[in-house]
Amino acid sequence: MTGTNPVRIDKFLWAVRLFKTRSIASDECRMGRILLNNMPVKPSRMIEGNELLTVKKPPVNYTFRIKCTAENRVSAKLVPGFL
């Protein structure tokens, strides 16, 4: 199911393969390494399309514009359509 439906940030990070498991994505949110529109978020934060996502994986910071959301894990070839 894809589109602009609201999805939890931890579930989205797992679905677009930024993290291997959803629990790792949740932990990263709790540590303040995930920013949405330059604000730290909790794992339960609902996101929609057209938001600015920053992922801090030291020593690199990744910044993405969310095009659309996904609840289920997508194949690696489809990830560029979401970020």
Side-chain angles (χ1 to χ4, degrees):
M1 195 175 282
T2 61
T4 57
N5 299 333
V7 177
R8 287 176 54 116
I9 185 79
D10 60 341
K11 196 169 190 177
F12 176 77
L13 293 170
W14 167 78
V16 295
R17 298 177 176 268
L18 291 175
F19 293 101
K20 191 172 184 177
T21 65
R22 188 170 164 191
S23 62
I24 293 171
S26 295
D27 292 341
E28 294 295 310
C29 289
R30 284 189 207 99
M31 287 191 281
R33 293 186 180 164
I34 307 299
L35 306 175
L36 196 62
N37 299 325
N38 296 319
M39 298 292 294
V41 295
K42 293 182 179 180
S44 61
R45 169 75 154 74
M46 300 300 276
I47 62 166
E48 295 181 2
N50 203 26
E51 292 186 277
L52 188 65
L53 174 68
T54 304
V55 179
K56 296 180 182 178
K57 288 186 177 182
V60 181
N61 293 340
Y62 299 96
T63 303
F64 304 100
R65 174 72 61 185
I66 300 172
K67 296 177 187 174
C68 61
T69 59
E71 286 188 19
N72 299 324
R73 195 147 169 110
V74 297
S75 71
K77 290 181 180 180
L78 298 178
V79 169
F82 294 92
L83 299 174

